[in-house]
Amino acid sequence: MASDEFPDSLADVLAGVQRLIRRRLRGGTATPRLRGAQAELLRLVVTRPGIRVSAAAKELYLAGNSVSTLVNQLTRAGYLRRETAPDDRRSGLLFPTSEARARLRDWDARRSALVHEQVARLAEADRAALAAALPALRRLAHQLHEEADGT
């Protein structure tokens, strides 16, 4: 592969793997599927309960009104609880419901089982190559995150 083709091929493969994992996991659930941005917001709120809507928008690189729409959707679905911030009545704090935590735990467990199964089917050399690539992929993700933050 030519070196100028590598970045595009890498992006295509990473996106394809993520898309295929989501597609496989969606088939095993009876609950309505969460769209990508909904799942990202839900995961953020589970890891940072009490996050402000504005901070969630900044963290996810989305417009505030887009996050507000997502919050309304997830609140109606029973996955988020929105409270007024005590120090600023105009600001909302987001908290996950127990249903949200359970749904993410189930998704994570099913994703882990699927990926473990598929990785185990690979040849040892392929598993070693993927393991060796993890530090570089983490640095790439960190670099993308830093540039998105403007640092």
Side-chain angles (χ1 to χ4, degrees):
M1 169 184 320
S3 63
D4 61 334
E5 295 173 8
F6 172 71
D8 290 332
S9 293
L10 175 64
D12 290 345
V13 168
L14 292 174
V17 167
Q18 184 66 16
R19 186 174 46 255
L20 288 166
I21 288 171
R22 282 193 313 265
R23 189 174 296 152
R24 290 276 306 269
L25 294 178
R26 273 194 302 250
T29 182
T31 58
R33 82 178 188 109
L34 293 174
R35 291 191 339 262
Q38 290 173 321
E40 287 180 42
L41 176 59
L42 198 54
R43 192 169 296 284
L44 176 63
V45 174
V46 165
T47 60
R48 294 183 43 202
I51 189 171
R52 292 179 186 272
V53 174
S54 58
K58 183 178 179 185
E59 182 79 19
L60 297 172
Y61 306 103
L62 295 172
N65 62 342
S66 295
V67 172
S68 291
T69 298
L70 295 170
V71 167
N72 290 336
Q73 293 166 349
L74 291 169
T75 300
R76 280 193 304 273
Y79 293 125
L80 285 183
R81 193 177 78 251
R82 182 180 180 151
E83 296 181 7
T84 302
D87 60 333
D88 181 358
R89 309 283 308 156
R90 297 168 296 164
S91 186
L93 305 177
L94 302 176
F95 296 91
T97 64
S98 58
E99 291 85 359
R101 290 180 189 281
R103 180 151 184 189
L104 285 179
R105 271 192 312 273
D106 175 64
W107 179 272
D108 289 344
R110 291 173 49 235
R111 182 183 64 186
S112 179
L114 173 64
V115 174
H116 274 83
E117 172 190 329
Q118 295 302 314
V119 168
R121 293 174 57 194
L122 293 172
E124 178 59 36
D126 287 341
R127 289 194 304 271
L130 289 173
L134 287 176
L137 289 169
R138 285 189 183 104
R139 286 189 296 276
L140 176 61
H142 181 73
Q143 181 177 304
L144 288 165
H145 186 73
E146 280 186 342
E147 285 186 10
D149 281 343
T151 55

